[in-house]
């Protein structure tokens, strides 16, 4: 037997599934960028398909919640704010509605795209990112409503309003991190789709969306600070309305939570992805 034949016989090719961040197909996101845009546009169209009001729901949802909060918390609960309460709550509800919808939609994104996942290869991360990107359209529409309220009350946004996109990005990253974990869990445990909306409602009341942080009793201040959305909302409100202060600790908690959720969620998503097609 020749040396070449011996070498050829001894060569063994071992194929292993990618793990960690390599399994996410992050590098493929750019190659499949047109697919990501298509999925984002699909999510936007499906959201309001066969609805009477269409995209007006993006305005009605924060507007109606603002009315409820104004009646219950401002008129009955006597919560006072430095600016007119409708503007105070509406501006923050625009951000919270984007965040809550992003978490709800991303948590169900894997199951909702089951027919696509089981038929063709593409970076699965796309179906989780697309609801976060698509929700920005609703946020911009809601922000136009906030601009109308500012004009009505004669309120001019401060110069730091240019920093609003940074806090929207931070909220989107937290939503993405949660979506990576919840969408993977939802494949095996379909209870997730029912639990997430309920938990988001509780989280709304635990976050300073409809009330200023100053009304939180001192004994709950630690829990208030550890809420990852506290820093996001305080920073967003400071940027858009000029209301402060922004507590450094809360902001650090928000940034750290976003980083941990995105990184940890990506690793968990990658490991769970190996069995997605079989379980779905």
């Amino acid at each position: 037997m020749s040396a070449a034949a011996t070498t050829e016989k001894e060569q063994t090719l071992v194929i292993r599934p990618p793990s960690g961040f390599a399994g996410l197909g992050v590098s493929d996101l750019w190659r499949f960028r047109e697919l990501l845009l298509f999925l984002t546009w699909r999510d936007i169209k499906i959201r309001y398909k066969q609805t009477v009001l269409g995209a007006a729901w993006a305005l009605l949802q924060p507007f109606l919640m603002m009315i409820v909060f104004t009646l219950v918390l401002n008129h009955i609960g006597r919560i006072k704010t430095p600016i007119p309460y409708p503007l105070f709550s509406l501006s923050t509800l625009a951000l919270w509605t984007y965040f809550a919808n992003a978490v709800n939609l991303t948590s169900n994104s894997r199951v909702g795209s089951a027919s696509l996942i089981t038929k063709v290869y593409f970076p699965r991360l796309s179906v989780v990112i697309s609801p976060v990107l698509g929700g920005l359209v609703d946020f911009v529409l809601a922000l136009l409503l906030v601009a109308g309220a500012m004009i009505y009350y004669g309120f001019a946004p401060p110069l730091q309003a240019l920093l609003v996109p940074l806090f929207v990005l931070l909220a989107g990253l937290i939503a993405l991190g949660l979506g990576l974990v919840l969408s993977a869990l939802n494949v095996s445990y379909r209870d997730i789709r029912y639990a997430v909306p309920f938990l988001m409602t509780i989280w709304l009341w635990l976050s300073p969306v409809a009330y200023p942080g100053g009304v939180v009793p001192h004994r709950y201040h630690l829990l208030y600070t550890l809420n990852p959305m506290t820093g996001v909302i305080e920073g967003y409100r400071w940027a858009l309305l000029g209301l402060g202060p922004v507590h450094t600790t809360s902001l650090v908690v928000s940034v750290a939570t976003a980083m941990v959720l995105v990184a940890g969620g990506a690793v968990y998503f990658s490991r769970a992805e190996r069995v997605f097609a079989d379980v779905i």
Side-chain angles (χ1 to χ4, degrees):
M1 184 178 295
S2 64
T6 303
T7 303
E8 182 179 354
K9 183 178 180 180
E10 291 176 352
Q11 288 179 346
T12 304
L13 177 63
V14 179
I15 301 177
R16 294 187 177 91
S19 58
F21 291 102
L24 281 171
V26 175
S27 60
D28 290 338
L29 281 175
W30 178 250
R31 287 200 303 120
F32 287 85
R33 60 188 180 277
E34 292 183 358
L35 176 62
L36 177 59
L37 293 176
F38 168 78
L39 292 174
T40 301
W41 179 242
R42 181 202 64 172
D43 289 340
I44 295 173
K45 291 197 301 183
I46 291 178
R47 192 175 309 166
Y48 302 115
K49 186 178 181 180
Q50 294 181 336
T51 59
V52 176
L53 298 178
W57 282 111
L59 304 176
L60 281 176
Q61 190 173 356
F63 180 75
L64 294 177
M65 291 182 67
M66 178 270 292
I67 293 177
V68 173
F69 286 158
T70 301
L71 292 175
V72 176
L73 297 180
N74 184 236
H75 292 342
I76 300 177
R78 300 297 181 183
I79 289 182
K80 302 299 180 182
T81 53
I83 61 175
Y85 184 84
L87 176 59
F88 177 89
S89 59
L90 180 63
S91 59
T92 316
L93 280 168
L95 177 67
W96 181 265
T97 302
Y98 162 68
F99 171 71
N101 286 341
V103 174
N104 285 327
L105 293 173
T106 53
S107 64
N108 197 44
S109 59
R110 296 309 304 259
V111 175
S113 302
S115 59
L116 185 61
I117 291 172
T118 55
K119 291 180 180 178
V120 64
Y121 169 76
F122 64 95
R124 311 303 194 219
L125 197 61
S126 300
V127 299
V128 185
I129 296 178
S130 59
V132 179
L133 296 179
L136 291 174
V137 175
D138 288 355
F139 173 75
V140 171
L141 292 175
L143 209 56
L144 293 177
L145 186 63
V146 175
M150 287 182 174
I151 295 174
Y152 177 80
Y153 288 108
F155 181 88
L159 182 62
Q160 63 261 31
L162 297 174
L163 299 177
V164 165
L166 294 179
F167 296 101
V168 177
L169 173 63
L170 186 55
L173 288 176
I174 295 176
L176 175 61
L178 288 172
L180 289 170
V181 176
L182 294 173
S183 63
L185 287 174
N186 193 36
V187 172
S188 300
Y189 308 101
R190 301 301 169 89
D191 307 79
I192 296 295
R193 63 182 301 181
Y194 303 107
V196 170
F198 172 72
L199 293 176
M200 293 306 297
T201 301
I202 296 178
W203 199 352
L204 165 65
W205 290 102
L206 294 178
S207 303
V209 175
Y211 54 85
V215 304
V216 178
H218 181 72
R219 62 180 180 275
Y220 299 123
H221 185 70
L222 178 60
L223 294 176
Y224 174 79
T225 303
L226 293 177
N227 180 352
M229 285 304 293
T230 294
V232 179
I233 293 171
E234 286 183 346
Y236 168 83
R237 187 175 282 153
W238 165 80
L240 185 61
L241 303 176
L243 301 179
V246 181
H247 297 94
T248 305
T249 305
S250 299
L251 192 57
V252 169
V253 169
S254 298
V255 174
T257 300
M259 295 174 62
V260 170
L261 280 175
V262 171
V267 173
Y268 177 73
F269 186 90
S270 176
R271 293 179 178 177
E273 187 178 8
R274 303 176 188 179
V275 297
F276 279 159
D278 297 330
V279 177
I280 289 180

